[in-house]
C-alpha cells in the first residue's frame, strides 16, 4: 500500500510538472516553484540515482573493476565513466547543484520511469549485458533492469544527462582501495606488471586466504591506472611467477565497496623533502 501511494504521488507530481512546462525549460529551474516539491536525502553516503551496466559472463575480477557508468549521491557528488583519447577508461568526479539534480530527477520521472518494468533477458547468462536504473526518493528505492531495450532510448538519454550535471569534472585518482587477486594462465605475449617487492603481502596470499587487502600509496595509483587500460592491459606477475588478474575496489567510487579500515580513511602523508644543508651548516 505504501509503495502504491508513493507511485500515485509521483504520477501526480509529474502531471503538475508537465502542466507547468518545466520539463521543456531546463534553464528556468532556479525560478520554477514547482521544483521545490521535489526533494531527496542530502546525505553523502546515500545514492540517489545510479545507472549501471553488468556484462553477463564476466569474471569476478572484471565485475569488481567495473565502475557504474554514472552515480549521483545525495550531497551532489557525481561519478561517471568515459573514454580517453587512447581508448583508456577514465573515471570522472564532480559536484552538481541542487537545481541541476532537481531538473535531472524531473526528467527521469517525466520519461515515465515509474511506469517502466523489468524486461526479461536472455536465458543464456553468458550473453549480452544487463542495464539498470535505480532511483531513491522519499524512502523508496526503485530499480528497473533491462537488456538494452528501453522505452524511447531512455537509458542512454538519462545517462547522457547524468554525465553532464556539472561542467567542471576532475579525474579520479584514488589513494586507497581493496585489492584482490585471481590466478590466470600466464601468457608471456602480454605486457607484464610485476608485483612490488615493497608490499608486505602477495597475490598468492590473497588467493590462499580468499581475501581482499586494504592498500594505500603509490601502488594503488599504479594498479588503478593499469586496470583502466582496455587494450594493452599488462598481466600481473607475482613473486611466485604465477600470473594473476587483480581487482581494485575504491570506497565511494566502485560498486558495493566496503569502507576503509578504522584509521585508514586518509591518504598517506607526503614526505617532506630534506633541505640541502648550506656551506655554513657543513662548516
Amino acid at each position: 500500500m505504501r509503495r502504491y501511494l508513493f507511485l500515485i504521488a509521483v504520477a501526480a507530481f509529474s502531471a503538475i510538472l508537465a502542466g507547468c512546462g518545466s520539463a521543456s525549460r531546463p534553464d528556468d529551474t532556479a525560478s520554477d516553484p514547482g521544483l521545490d516539491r521535489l526533494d531527496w536525502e542530502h546525505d553523502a553516503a546515500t545514492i540517489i540515482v545510479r545507472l549501471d551496466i553488468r556484462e553477463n559472463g564476466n569474471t569476478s575480477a572484471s565485475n569488481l573493476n567495473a565502475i557504474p557508468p554514472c552515480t549521483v549521491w545525495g550531497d551532489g557528488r557525481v561519478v561517471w565513466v568515459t573514454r580517453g583519447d587512447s581508448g583508456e577508461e577514465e573515471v570522472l568526479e564532480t559536484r552538481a547543484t541542487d537545481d541541476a539534480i532537481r531538473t535531472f530527477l524531473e526528467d527521469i520521472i517525466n520519461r515515465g520511469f515509474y511506469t517502466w518494468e523489468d524486461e526479461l533477458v536472455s536465458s543464456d547468462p553468458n550473453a549480452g549485458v544487463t542495464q539498470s536504473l535505480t532511483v531513491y526518493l522519499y524512502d523508496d528505492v526503485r530499480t528497473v533492469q533491462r537488456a538494452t531495450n528501453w522505452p524511447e532510448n531512455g537509458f542512454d538519454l538519462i545517462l547522457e544527462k547524468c554525465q553532464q550535471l556539472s561542467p567542471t569534472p576532475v579525474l579520479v585518482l584514488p589513494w586507497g582501495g581493496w585489492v584482490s587477486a585471481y590466478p590466470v594462465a600466464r601468457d608471456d605475449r602480454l605486457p607484464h606488471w610485476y608485483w612490488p617487492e615493497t608490499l608486505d603481502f602477495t597475490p598468492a596470499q590473497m588467493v590462499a586466504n580468499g581475501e581482499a587487502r586494504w592498500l594505500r600509496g603509490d601502488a594503488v595509483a599504479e594498479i588503478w591506472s593499469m586496470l583502466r587500460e582496455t587494450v594493452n592491459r599488462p598481466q600481473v606477475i607475482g613473486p611466485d611467477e604465477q600470473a594473476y588478474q587483480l581487482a581494485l575496489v575504491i570506497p565511494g567510487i566502485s560498486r558495493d565497496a566496503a569502507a576503509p579500515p578504522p584509521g585508514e580513511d586518509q591518504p598517506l602523508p607526503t614526505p617532506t623533502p630534506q633541505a640541502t644543508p648550506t656551506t655554513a651548516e657543513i662548516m
Side-chain angles (χ1 to χ4, degrees):
M1 175 63 72
R2 181 170 171 269
R3 181 176 181 82
Y4 178 71
L5 293 175
F6 172 77
L7 294 177
I8 291 178
V10 169
F13 175 66
S14 300
I16 292 172
L17 291 178
C20 294
S22 58
S24 61
R25 300 195 312 273
D27 294 336
D28 298 337
T29 55
S31 60
D32 189 343
L35 292 179
D36 293 339
R37 299 183 177 91
L38 181 61
D39 203 4
W40 60 92
E41 185 70 36
H42 290 71
D43 180 72
T46 300
I47 293 174
I48 304 302
V49 178
R50 169 165 281 174
L51 295 104
D52 204 353
I53 298 177
R54 293 178 183 262
E55 295 190 19
N56 302 324
N58 257 355
T59 64
S60 296
S62 296
N63 284 329
L64 290 171
N65 286 322
I67 307 297
C70 196
T71 304
V72 182
W73 279 265
D75 64 346
R77 191 167 66 93
V78 186
V79 174
W80 73 96
V81 177
T82 185
R83 294 287 175 184
D85 295 337
S86 301
E88 75 280 8
E89 184 181 75
E90 291 185 340
V91 184
L92 301 176
E93 183 177 24
T94 193
R95 188 79 60 174
T97 65
D98 282 3
D99 285 341
I101 294 176
R102 284 196 180 94
T103 301
F104 180 53
L105 290 169
E106 171 195 345
D107 179 76
I108 294 174
I109 294 171
N110 283 339
R111 289 182 187 277
F113 170 73
Y114 284 96
T115 67
W116 295 347
E117 298 295 337
D118 292 346
E119 178 193 64
L120 294 177
V121 298
S122 170
S123 59
D124 181 3
N126 297 315
V129 301
T130 300
Q131 298 176 332
S132 65
L133 173 57
T134 299
V135 177
Y136 174 58
L137 282 174
Y138 302 109
D139 294 327
D140 183 273
V141 179
R142 186 171 196 265
T143 298
V144 178
Q145 301 182 69
R146 300 178 72 89
T148 72
N149 184 26
W150 293 79
E152 299 181 2
N153 201 29
F155 184 90
D156 289 341
L157 293 175
I158 293 171
L159 175 58
E160 183 179 357
K161 288 181 177 293
C162 186
Q163 295 173 334
Q164 297 175 354
L165 283 172
S166 171
T168 56
V170 296
L171 197 64
V172 170
L173 299 173
W175 48 263
W178 296 97
V179 63
S180 54
Y182 302 84
V184 295
R186 179 163 176 166
D187 187 346
D188 289 329
R189 295 171 298 178
L190 299 175
H192 288 25
W193 185 83
Y194 288 90
W195 186 257
E197 296 180 355
T198 54
L199 297 180
D200 61 358
F201 62 94
T202 67
Q205 290 172 338
M206 289 188 288
V207 172
N209 297 326
E211 65 177 359
R213 295 285 295 266
W214 178 254
L215 182 63
R216 292 194 296 171
D218 294 339
V220 172
E222 194 169 354
I223 293 172
W224 173 263
S225 177
M226 176 182 63
L227 294 176
R228 306 278 70 81
E229 293 290 341
T230 57
V231 179
N232 295 314
R233 180 179 299 173
Q235 194 167 61
V236 177
I237 306 299
D240 55 357
E241 296 299 323
Q242 166 70 42
Y244 296 90
Q245 186 177 15
L246 296 184
L248 181 62
V249 179
I250 308 299
I253 300 294
S254 303
R255 181 194 302 120
D256 304 325
E264 296 283 315
D265 58 349
Q266 297 294 329
L268 292 170
T270 302
T272 302
Q274 292 288 336
T276 302
T278 66
T279 304
E281 291 172 332
I282 296 176
M283 298 286 292

